[in-house]
Amino acid sequence: DSGVTQTPKHLITATGQRVTLRCSPRSGDLSVYWYQQSLDQGLQFLIQYYNGEERAKGNILERFSAQQFPDLHSELNLSSLELGDSALYFCASSSSAGSGNQPQHFGDGTRLSIL
Amino acid sequence: DQQVKQNSPSLSVQEGRISILNCDYTNSMFDYFLWYKKYPAEGPTFLISISSIKDKNEDGRFTVFLNKSAKHLSLHIVPSQPGDSAVYFCAASFVNDYKLSFGAGTTVTVRA
């Protein structure tokens, strides 16, 4: 158990809809990262928050947004969903803002299926 | 642009033998390289890492080798055990930038 909790585990919705994925980081971790894993691909970095502030952005679509709340949990909002958004979405957390040698701790992911 | 590549999507190895997983990268400025292991329906878990200033790091049955001139690293698992059957991801990062660049993963199957 990594200590990172992601809800829901599965989400099925239709094109054009909007969904919210939730992540609770490991106790004491201030950084939250969101990754997308499409079929047979590696994890693609989307966005990082550190202590409530956006820290780094990757290849995140404009239809996607995220935030980190004062209690440090984070939400990833996906809107105007397209078939290609079907993927596994992982949240990870770490204690620091940026030190590449510290491992990130991953949740079990949310599987999003767009019909 | 895929900066980290794992060109072997799968590997099958007999229990007790060595598993060798390979990873290539294109950005010579990466400071750290990490290996993650992932079981089905679970998130990746950290396995082992290596700094770019080193060429080898060992932790129990797991050893990572780094060849900077070739921009290549490998993970050796000796001896391989049935519980090692999983997907292994190679990842890279910079010292002041925590986001990870992942390879596509290699599925390891350990045969009894």
Side-chain angles (χ1 to χ4, degrees):
Chain A
D1 182 9
S2 68
V4 178
T5 303
Q6 287 189 249
T7 57
K9 290 191 183 304
H10 303 277
L11 203 47
I12 302 174
T13 188
T15 55
Q17 296 299 304
R18 172 190 169 95
V19 296
T20 297
L21 312 184
R22 182 187 169 101
C23 169
S24 294
R26 219 172 48 135
S27 177
D29 283 357
L30 299 178
S31 269
V32 169
Y33 310 79
W34 286 97
Y35 292 86
Q36 179 192 55
Q37 185 186 17
S38 300
L39 191 62
D40 295 332
Q41 294 188 21
L43 285 72
Q44 301 292 321
F45 170 73
L46 295 178
I47 197 164
Q48 176 200 0
Y49 277 81
Y50 176 75
N51 203 19
E53 300 290 326
E54 182 183 303
R55 179 75 180 216
K57 245 180 178 178
N59 297 324
I60 186 167
L61 300 171
E62 286 193 10
R63 300 184 286 109
F64 295 2
S65 65
Q67 54 185 325
Q68 186 179 28
F69 294 87
D71 67 352
L72 301 177
H73 91 272
S74 177
E75 293 180 356
L76 179 67
N77 300 296
L78 315 177
S79 62
S80 303
L81 287 168
E82 303 175 359
L83 293 176
D85 297 329
S86 295
L88 264 171
Y89 290 85
F90 287 103
C91 169
S93 73
S94 69
S95 56
S96 70
S99 178
N101 195 34
Q102 291 187 17
Q104 296 178 18
H105 303 273
F106 285 81
D108 290 341
T110 292
R111 182 173 292 281
L112 176 63
S113 299
I114 313 299
L115 303 179
Chain B
D1 179 24
Q2 199 72 13
Q3 297 190 74
V4 178
K5 296 180 181 178
Q6 294 176 258
N7 293 318
S8 298
S10 63
L11 172 69
S12 180
V13 63
Q14 192 158 15
E15 183 179 0
R17 307 295 289 267
I18 183 172
S19 294
I20 300 177
L21 292 80
N22 295 303
C23 178
D24 297 296
Y25 60 95
T26 56
N27 192 333
S28 60
M29 301 302 291
F30 281 129
D31 295 298
Y32 296 103
F33 302 91
L34 305 91
W35 286 92
Y36 281 79
K37 175 180 177 180
K38 183 184 180 305
Y39 293 117
E42 294 183 10
T45 55
F46 172 73
L47 198 56
I48 190 170
S49 65
I50 187 168
S51 165
S52 61
I53 63 172
K54 300 196 172 188
D55 55 19
K56 177 182 175 181
N57 188 29
E58 190 172 352
D59 184 1
R61 297 187 296 115
F62 303 92
T63 303
V64 57
F65 296 92
L66 177 62
N67 182 335
K68 287 190 68 176
S69 61
K71 297 193 183 70
H72 176 85
L73 64 154
S74 60
L75 174 69
H76 292 209
I77 307 173
V78 184
S80 298
Q81 298 175 354
D84 296 331
S85 295
V87 179
Y88 290 79
F89 290 100
C90 172
S93 66
F94 303 99
V95 66
N96 291 320
D97 184 352
Y98 208 167
K99 63 179 182 287
L100 295 171
S101 297
F102 280 89
T106 297
T107 300
V108 172
T109 303
V110 179
R111 311 185 310 270

